[in-house]
Each structure stands twice: as structure tokens, then as C-alpha cells.
């Protein structure tokens, strides 16, 4: 590649980056400005003003929101991995007509948006006492994450040679111990993908949380921010500060794990 | 020794009925029972209930409601807001899909060249994917808001009055489509990059030797071999756009009126705002039917044009 061409491509890539980073820039300038600062959002504040963050943290009770987010996300992800990985094993290894039907059933739910059954689900959750409970929202997250999880695990297990199973069975391992001793350790890379994909989904969820966690002390941060936005539309700087606080944890995690984020998505979805 | 390729069923069984079941593998099916129970309890049963509720006049709270046949469906046909909401839903679905795939493909082709900055570019374009859609909606709200919005700061250099971009039904639907595109562009880009990297280099060399130029290399090699990436990306984006909810709620709350509503936000407002659960369930059924038909059709059509490398 010629030096000039390379220069222009690099210049183009910088322009693309600047365009894509712009929304975050506007978020930052807004969240650091005092309410009486009427300068344009394009201009950086010439001072360091942290009251928006203090107010947003206190008024929207973000401390409790983060606690709820951590509890719901950690428990959901643990259950998703446990239930999803064991379900995929027989579906990948015993491809009887019946099991193919069950697999089709699980995967077809990828197409069904949870929102389409919101009305009956809400009524049902009220009936079984799952409203405003951790277990209620966790079971919903687990159920609706299972299609993708089973799809990824089944695809991955199919690529593990069957000879491995057979060899260890001849050595006297039962089917179930075989799964835990031989298969499970091999599932690490796809498990990392599942944890990241479903973890991000559950952490950022708004649709389920706003319906099923209505008590203020159970609000997750998206719900806390949305009610905050409703109350303080005039205090846009507080909302900006709250949004920045809400977005930061995932951004930091992403910057550390980005390799897994991207390879997991591409290998799981394109090749699986 | 066991003959190579023999299945588990032919392995010697030591003793007992239980052991035979375990060896044969039918007991293994127990492993998906927990998942199946969750499915039946939280998806299938509520789905059937939803269809049932769509034939009632339930308000969402009262225990006394009655069966009203197809009235909700007839009401849906006559609903003056319906045309607008359906049109918006199609714009969100099709508009985001076209934009995300077009721009995502261009970015992937660009980043597949050997420029030094490609790691940084990929990181930055993918970044919005992991930020909550609700927060992304608020961030873009700061751009488009009427009073003190970043876009209006620029527009005011050319006109006297700021533009009410989010309040104008002509522009807000497209702004929301654009925001959804910006947020999930990274997924399309990554899927295309994965597809590009799985195309063997010798195909390009062979094509070059045969005298193919850059354009015909793209049309004859890249385009057909990218088909699997297209299938996944198109279907994911279609489903994502057709069920769009968080961004609309954050930016316009479906307003003004239903001007920027999608089927999903309309259903939400009917249930929680107007205590019209029977009708909301009917919208849910319609949404399910539309998304299933559209995504299955896309899946079948796109799978048909896939070739293997």
C-alpha cells in the first residue's frame, strides 16, 4: 500500500471515530455543566462541576439500583449457564426426531419478542406472586435468554468430537459424570461468550424491569433513570450525569473484555 | 475392542435396567427438562393466555370481564392510529435493517484492509452496543431536544427559530431509526468482518490472475460468500427494529400522540396508560404474527442464496 493511500485511510478512520464518539462527548459536556450554564453543548465547560453526579446519585438512589442490578444479573447469568449448558448436551448428542423437535422449539423462541406476551405475562406474574421479587425477574431473564444460550451451546458441543465421549465411556465413566468431567471443561470459550452476551442483556434490560420491578427499592438503574428523567426534565444535567454513571460500568468491562465480546459474537452467530 | 464408529447404543452394558437407560442415553434427555419447564411456564402458557385475553374486554385489573369475540380485532382494523403505528413499525424495522447492513458492510470492508487504526475504529463503533438502549436514547435526546439541543445550536446559525425535531412527526420517526442504527451498527459490522475473514485468500488471487478487477472481485467472490453473514445480520436487525421499544420511550415517549409509536410502545401505553388490556393483548398477537412472518420469510429467502466456500 502506498504511503499517500495509507495516510488518507488513516485520516478517514479518524473522521469515522470522531463521528461515532460525538454522542459520548455531548453526554460528558452536558453532565459537567451547572444548570445556569447556558453555553452550547458543543463547548466544554471551563470548570469542574461535580454536583450533577452527587445529585443524580442521591436523588435517583443509584446505590440501591446498582445493588439490584448486580443481584439480578449475577444470579440470572449463573442460572442461564447452568440450565442452558446441560440442556444443550442431549440436544447435540442424541439427535432423535423428538430431540430435533425440542431443539427447534427452543430456537424458534429467538424470533418471539418477549414484549408480545407482555399482557398475559404481567397477569400471570401477579397471580404467582412474582411481581416485585428478585426470583420473578430472574426466572424471566433466564427463560428469555435460553433460546440464544441453547443455540450457542448446541452448536459448540456439536463441534467436539464424539470419540472423546466414547473413549471416556469405555474407561467406565457414566454419561452424567462424562458431561461434568469431560465436556464442561471444554465449554469455557463458549461459556465466556454466553456470560458476556446475556450479562450485557440482563444488565441493560429496561422492558422487563420497568414492568415487573415497580417498587422504588427494587428499581434497577435503567428504571431508576427513567423515573428520574420523568421527574427532572428541567434538570437535564442531572439526567446526563446519571446516564454517564449508568453507562460507565459496562464501558469499563467492555474495554477489558472486548476481544471476547467480538470473537464470541462472530464465531457463535456466523459459524454456529 | 469396539469397532470404530459404533454408537453408544452398541456399547456393552454391564448390568441392570437403570444402567442400560443411562448407557442408551434416553435418561440424558432429563437434562433439558429444567429448560423445558421454564419455557412452558413463562413462554407457551402466557402466549396462549394472551391469545385468550385478546378475545375479552379485560381492563387489566378487574376480575370481571367477558368474552367479546373478534371485537378487539375489528377495532384494530378501524383504529385511526393503527395505520400510523404500523407504518412507523415498518420504518423502524426495514429502515434500520437497510442502514445497519449497508453501513456495517462498508465499515467491515474498510476495516478488512491493513490500516493501523482498525482496532481502535472497531472498538469505538462497537461501543454503543453495550450501552443500554434507554441511556442511548437519553444521550441522543441531548442532541435533538428543542431547547438547548446540540443540533439546534447549529441550526440557529442559519434560522431564527430552533426546530422541534422530536415533536415533528415527519422527522422523529427517522431520528429514532437513525439512533437505533447508530447503536447496533457494531453487530452488523462484526458479523461482516467475521464473514470476510472466513473467505480464503486464494479465491482473490485466482480471480486476479483471471483478470478480475476490484469491482468484479467484490461481485463474484465477496458478495456471494458473505451470504451467511447477511442472513444472520438481516434477521437480527429486522427483529430488533420491529420490536423497538427503549429508544422510542427515551426520546419521544411515542409522542406527540402516537406519532412516533411502534406496535410495542403502543401496546405498553394501552395496558399501563389506558387500562385497555384486552386490546393491548390483541396488538401483542398482531406483533407476534408480523415478526414471525417477516423474519421467517427473510430467513428462508436469504438461506436460499447462500453458497458454501
Amino acid at each position: 500500500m502506498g504511503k499517500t493511500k495509507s495516510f488518507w485511510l488513516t485520516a478517514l478512520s479518524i473522521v469515522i471515530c470522531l463521528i461515532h464518539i460525538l454522542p459520548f462527548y455531548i453526554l460528558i459536556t452536558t453532565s459537567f455543566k451547572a444548570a445556569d450554564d447556558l453555553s452550547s453543548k458543543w463547548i466544554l465547560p471551563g470548570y469542574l462541576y461535580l454536583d450533577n453526579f452527587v445529585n443524580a446519585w442521591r436523588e435517583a438512589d443509584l446505590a440501591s439500583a446498582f445493588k439490584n442490578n448486580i443481584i439480578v444479573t449475577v444470579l440470572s447469568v449463573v442460572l442461564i449457564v447452568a440450565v442452558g449448558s446441560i440442556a444443550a448436551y442431549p440436544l447435540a448428542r442424541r439427535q432423535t426426531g423428538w430431540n430435533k423437535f425440542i431443539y427447534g422449539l427452543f430456537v424458534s423462541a429467538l424470533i418471539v419478542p418477549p414484549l408480545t406476551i407482555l399482557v398475559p405475562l404481567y397477569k400471570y406474574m401477579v397471580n404467582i406472586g412474582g411481581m416485585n421479587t428478585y426470583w420473578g425477574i430472574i426466572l424471566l431473564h433466564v427463560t428469555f435468554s435460553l433460546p440464544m444460550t441453547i443455540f450457542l451451546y448446541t452448536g459448540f458441543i456439536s463441534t467436539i468430537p464424539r470419540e472423546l465421549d466414547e473413549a471416556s465411556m469405555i474407561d467406565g465413566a457414566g454419561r452424567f459424570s462424562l458431561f461434568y468431567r469431560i465436556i464442561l471443561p471444554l465449554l469455557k470459550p463458549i461459556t465466556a461468550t454466553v456470560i458476556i452476551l446475556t450479562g450485557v442483556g440482563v444488565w441493560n434490560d429496561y422492558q422487563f424491569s420497568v414492568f415487573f420491578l415497580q417498587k422504588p427499592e427494587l428499581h434497577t438503574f435503567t428504571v431508576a433513570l427513567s423515573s428520574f428523567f420523568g421527574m427532572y426534565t428541567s434538570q437535564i444535567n442531572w439526567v446526563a450525569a446519571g446516564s454517564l454513571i449508568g453507562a460507565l460500568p459496562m464501558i469499563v468491562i467492555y474495554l477489558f473484555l472486548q476481544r471476547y465480546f467480538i470473537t464470541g459474537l462472530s464465531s457463535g452467530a456466523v459459524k454456529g | 475392542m469396539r469397532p470404530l464408529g459404533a454408537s453408544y447404543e452398541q456399547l456393552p452394558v454391564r448390568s441392570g435396567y437403570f444402567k442400560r437407560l443411562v448407557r442408551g442415553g434416553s435418561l440424558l434427555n432429563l437434562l433439558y427438562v429444567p429448560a423445558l419447564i421454564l419455557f412452558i411456564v413463562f413462554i407457551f402458557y402466557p402466549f396462549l393466555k394472551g391469545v385468550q385475553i385478546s378475545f375479552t374486554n379485560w381492563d387489566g385489573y378487574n376480575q370481571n370481564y367477558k368474552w367479546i369475540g373478534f371485537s378487539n380485532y375489528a377495532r384494530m382494523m378501524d383504529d385511526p392510529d393503527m395505520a400510523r403505528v404500523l407504518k412507523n413499525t415498518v420504518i423502524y424495522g426495514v429502515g434500520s435493517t437497510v442502514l445497519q447492513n449497508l453501513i456495517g458492510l462498508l465499515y467491515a470492508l474498510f476495516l478488512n484492509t491493513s490500516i493501523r487504526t482498525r482496532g481502535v475504529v472497531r472498538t469505538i463503533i462497537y461501543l454503543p452496543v453495550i450501552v443500554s438502549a434507554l441511556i442511548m436514547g437519553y444521550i441522543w435526546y441531548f442532541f435533538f431536544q428543542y431547547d438547548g439541543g446540540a443540533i439546534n445550536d447549529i441550526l440557529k446559525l442559519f434560522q431564527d427559530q430552533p426546530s422541534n425535531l422530536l415533536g415533528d412527526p415527519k422527522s422523529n420517526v427517522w431520528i429514532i431509526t437513525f439512533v437505533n442504527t447508530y447503536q447496533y451498527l457494531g453487530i452488523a459490522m462484526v458479523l461482516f468482518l467475521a464473514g470476510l475473514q472466513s473467505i480464503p485468500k486464494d479465491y482473490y488471487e485466482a480471480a486476479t490472475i483471471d483478470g478480475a478487477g476490484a469491482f468484479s472481485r467484490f461481485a463474484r467472490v465477496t458478495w456471494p460468500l458473505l451470504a451467511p453473514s447477511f442472513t444472520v445480520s438481516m434477521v437480527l436487525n429486522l427483529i430488533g427494529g420491529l420490536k423497538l421499544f427503549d429508544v422510542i420511550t427515551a426520546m419521544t415517549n411515542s409522542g406527540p400522540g402516537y406519532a412516533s409509536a411502534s406496535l410495542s410502545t403502543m401496546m405498553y401505553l394501552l395496558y399501563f396508560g389506558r387500562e385497555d388490556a384486552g386490546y393491548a393483548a390483541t396488538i401483542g398477537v398482531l406483533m407476534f404474527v408480523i415478526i414471525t412472518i417477516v423474519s421467517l420469510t427473510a430467513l428462508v429467502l436469504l438461506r436460499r442464496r447462500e453458497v458454501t466456500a
Side-chain angles (χ1 to χ4, degrees), chain B residues 241-264:
Chain B
L242 289 172
K243 69 174 188 189
L244 200 61
F245 179 83
D246 300 19
V247 175
I248 306 171
T249 306
M251 293 191 79
T252 62
N253 200 19
S254 301
Y258 278 138
S260 57
S262 66
L263 284 172
S264 52

Side-chain angles (χ1 to χ4, degrees), chain A residues 201-221:
Chain A
V202 175
W203 182 271
N204 286 334
D205 171 71
Y206 175 63
Q207 303 170 357
F208 274 156
S209 310
V210 74
F211 306 139
F212 299 110
L213 299 177
Q214 297 184 347
K215 265 195 201 155
E217 63 267 30
L218 287 170
H219 279 177
T220 52
F221 82 78

Side-chain angles (χ1 to χ4, degrees), chain B residues 92-115:
Chain B
Y92 295 142
V94 178
S96 320
T97 305
V98 170
L99 288 172
Q100 276 164 3
N101 284 294
L102 187 71
I103 305 172
L105 177 62
L106 288 176
Y107 279 173
L109 288 170
F110 176 61
L111 294 178
N112 205 36
T113 58
S114 54
I115 47 166

Side-chain angles (χ1 to χ4, degrees), chain A residues 13 20 40 42 99 166 175, chain B residues 2 8 32 117 148 150 153 182:
Chain A
S13 69
H20 278 262
S40 166
W42 298 97
N99 279 8
E166 293 168 17
R175 276 286 198 152
Chain B
R2 177 184 61 102
Y8 311 116
Y32 60 62
T117 43
D153 284 341
Y182 166 82

Side-chain angles (χ1 to χ4, degrees), chain B residues 146-225:
Chain B
Y146 180 68
D147 198 16
I151 299 286
N152 270 325
D153 284 341
I154 294 176
L155 287 180
K156 274 191 288 188
L157 300 174
F158 305 99
Q159 58 192 48
D160 296 339
Q161 288 299 314
S163 293
N164 192 3
L165 293 160
L166 288 175
D168 183 349
K170 281 206 257 335
S171 56
N172 56 16
V173 178
W174 290 103
I175 290 173
I176 290 167
T177 306
F178 161 78
V179 171
N180 187 44
T181 302
Y182 166 82
Q183 174 153 33
Y184 293 115
L185 192 56
I187 295 183
M189 176 194 71
V190 166
L191 292 173
F192 287 127
L193 267 175
L196 284 174
Q197 279 156 14
S198 70
I199 302 176
K201 292 269 184 296
D202 3 336
Y203 284 33
Y204 290 106
E205 285 163 21
T208 314
I209 291 168
D210 289 348
F215 180 76
S216 85
R217 277 202 301 270
F218 177 80
R220 303 281 174 80
V221 182
T222 314
W223 182 253
L225 291 177

